[in-house]
Amino acid sequence: MTNSVAGERTDLELPVERGCPFAPPAAYERLREQAPISRVRLTSGGEAWWVSGHEEGRAVLADPRFSSDKRKDGFPLFTLDAATLQQLRSQPPLMLGMDGAEHSAARRPVIGEFTVKRLAALRPRIQDIVDHFIDDMLATDQRPVDLVQALSLPVPSLVICELLGVPYADHDFFQGRTTMMVSRTSLEDRRRAFAELRAYIDDLVTRKESEPGDDLFSRQIARQRQMGVLDHAGLVSLAFLLLTAGHETTANMISLGVVALLTHPQQLALIKADPDKMPMAVEELLRYFTIADGVTSRLATEDAKIGGVSIKAGEGVIVSTLSANWDPAAFKDPAELDVERGARHHLAFGFGPHQCLGQNLARMELQIVFDTLFRRIPTLRLAAPAEDLPFKNDAVIYGVHELPVTW
């Protein structure tokens, strides 16, 4: 890494894989110290601004001069090939790719589905789901058990089922396809699973239009009918947004959180001694891993100055939420896992108007899973050394493919 100051070009090329399972790439720390806002190269071609400081990252994500519309020329997409990018730009944008009034209008009707009151009503069902899969783990005679397949993947899948109103008879199909989409299957298998799941959701929306129930789809359909406009395609896209944004990320956080707590027994002991610390522990785990990095890309639509650096209209900007969450200016001793830290100001869910819509649901799922798992299986332990686990780094999503555990 060359020495640099804020605003200068560096030799960093994105994306950068994590070398250590429990830390950001070493280049992140060096760059954050030397130039928290700097020019980097993208493996897909071109350059972009790389924002690695916590304060600077929040400033970009809260500034309306930075667009989320991935269809705009110059938007820094370093994980998509040309064909996928062309397909993306030919379709209407998802909520994540909208700006300003358009984004607010799309987000406002759905945000009520994720209020504390609405989620509190869902909590008992999530608890039942978690208990069901832990019952199956305890009933098996075969050990070790792969926690990814036994708990981490199915829990978020069935929670989404509850949210969307997927009939119980269809749970196996839904869970099987969502698992295939995020597993180590072939690209062809993942695409087939994606197509089959999208066709299923399209059909489900059609059924809800004629036979509404008490679920997200039915409530959105009723609201749209009151307004005189029924956006069938928009509801299908919304379902996929909730699925892709909330399934793999939550599943990976469950697995990584278990690994972290089992390899930091003193931290786990603090939670067992005082379960009220679990919400703080979840925030710290979210900060510590920040499994989705670099997804908070933006495009400057006007000239702007961030952290003393002038960014021109038409230039791409990538906020590294992982680097920002390890910024010692915001988190003392960031490399230390501290479940009593109180790290609620982390950027794992983004910041500003595009902050994750389902963050409170994810928090609740993680709290229930960790609390229930370690309470019901207090002797849980890794069946393989943490350094031997098959961690994955798919450019921006970090996780673990298999997690053998025993007790």
Side-chain angles (χ1 to χ4, degrees):
M1 175 70 64
T2 57
N3 291 331
S4 55
V5 296
E8 286 193 356
R9 181 173 284 100
T10 70
D11 61 0
L12 183 66
E13 184 175 87
L14 299 179
V16 179
E17 292 191 0
R18 308 189 194 198
C20 169
F22 302 107
Y28 282 20
E29 181 179 1
R30 294 197 299 269
L31 196 57
R32 188 180 57 244
E33 292 176 351
Q34 298 168 0
I37 302 179
S38 52
R39 297 289 286 175
V40 295
R41 291 179 290 115
L42 308 179
T43 55
S44 58
E47 295 184 348
W49 291 102
W50 177 251
V51 181
S52 53
H54 185 270
E55 180 180 356
E56 296 85 355
R58 283 167 60 105
V60 169
L61 297 177
D63 194 324
R65 294 173 295 180
F66 294 95
S67 171
S68 297
D69 191 344
K70 297 174 177 59
R71 298 170 302 170
K72 293 181 182 293
D73 289 337
F75 195 94
L77 289 169
F78 58 85
T79 61
L80 300 182
D81 56 41
T84 305
L85 179 57
Q86 182 61 35
Q87 182 181 16
L88 174 69
R89 288 178 169 170
S90 67
Q91 298 174 347
L94 295 175
M95 190 189 306
L96 287 175
M98 298 176 181
D99 296 321
E102 182 186 27
H103 173 253
S104 298
R107 185 181 175 102
R108 191 179 303 113
V110 189
I111 200 167
E113 299 290 338
F114 299 95
T115 62
V116 173
K117 181 178 180 180
R118 177 77 72 184
L119 293 178
L122 190 59
R123 176 179 281 271
R125 181 59 186 134
I126 297 177
Q127 184 67 64
D128 288 343
I129 290 171
V130 174
D131 279 324
H132 166 76
F133 287 109
I134 293 179
D135 285 344
D136 288 348
M137 287 175 59
L138 290 171
T140 184
D141 292 329
Q142 297 182 345
R143 298 182 192 169
V145 171
D146 178 9
L147 196 76
V148 172
Q149 298 298 323
L151 189 70
S152 304
L153 282 174
V155 166
S157 175
L158 293 191
V159 170
I160 290 291
C161 282
E162 293 295 320
L163 190 68
L164 301 181
V166 174
Y168 188 81
D170 298 343
H171 280 195
D172 287 344
F173 170 85
F174 192 91
Q175 182 184 327
R177 298 309 181 276
T178 54
T179 298
M180 188 180 297
M181 284 172 57
V182 299
S183 299
R184 284 192 295 180
T185 54
S186 67
L187 178 59
E188 180 180 349
D189 285 342
R190 292 197 297 272
R191 285 176 172 170
R192 184 175 68 253
F194 178 92
E196 291 176 353
L197 194 56
R198 187 174 184 88
Y200 171 83
I201 291 177
D202 191 297
D203 178 68
L204 180 63
V205 173
T206 300
R207 282 184 277 163
K208 296 293 181 182
E209 288 168 353
S210 59
E211 300 175 5
D214 183 19
D215 52 70
L216 183 148
F217 275 146
S218 299
R219 288 187 288 271
Q220 292 301 308
I221 290 169
R223 181 193 64 81
Q224 291 184 4
R225 280 180 169 154
Q226 288 177 352
M227 298 173 61
V229 179
L230 185 59
D231 183 7
H232 179 95
L235 288 174
V236 175
S237 294
L238 172 62
F240 255 87
L241 173 61
L242 296 174
L243 176 66
T244 55
H247 184 267
E248 184 175 10
T249 50
T250 304
N252 284 327
M253 270 308 308
I254 291 172
S255 297
L256 292 170
V258 169
V259 174
L261 292 173
L262 290 178
T263 54
H264 294 78
Q266 292 181 332
Q267 298 297 306
L268 179 57
L270 290 173
I271 302 171
K272 288 182 174 180
D274 182 3
D276 288 342
K277 286 186 168 67
M278 184 60 74
M280 282 197 305
V282 166
E283 299 303 326
E284 173 66 351
L285 290 167
L286 288 163
R287 177 203 71 84
Y288 189 75
F289 286 110
T290 315
I291 58 173
D293 183 36
V295 296
T296 42
S297 299
R298 299 290 188 267
L299 184 75
T301 57
E302 302 177 28
D303 292 351
K305 182 168 285 190
I306 300 292
V309 176
S310 295
I311 299 175
K312 302 295 185 182
E315 293 182 332
V317 180
I318 301 171
V319 176
S320 171
T321 49
L322 173 59
S323 179
N325 283 341
W326 281 58
D327 186 347
F331 305 97
K332 183 180 178 182
D333 299 323
E336 299 296 323
L337 183 70
D338 179 4
V339 298
E340 298 178 305
R341 182 187 299 275
R344 186 75 182 221
H345 57 299
H346 63 75
L347 302 184
F349 291 117
F351 187 71
H354 282 280
Q355 193 168 26
C356 178
L357 186 67
Q359 59 182 293
N360 289 329
L361 176 60
R363 287 184 170 105
M364 186 167 68
E365 287 183 65
L366 294 171
Q367 290 171 20
I368 292 173
V369 168
F370 295 144
D371 175 76
T372 308
L373 181 64
F374 290 113
R375 173 170 45 82
R376 295 194 57 189
I377 314 181
T379 57
L380 188 76
R381 65 183 189 276
L382 297 178
E387 57 270 21
D388 293 339
L389 295 175
F391 290 97
K392 62 180 178 180
N393 185 345
D394 299 329
V396 294
I397 299 294
Y398 183 61
V400 57
H401 288 293
E402 298 171 8
L403 178 52
V405 296
T406 190
W407 53 92

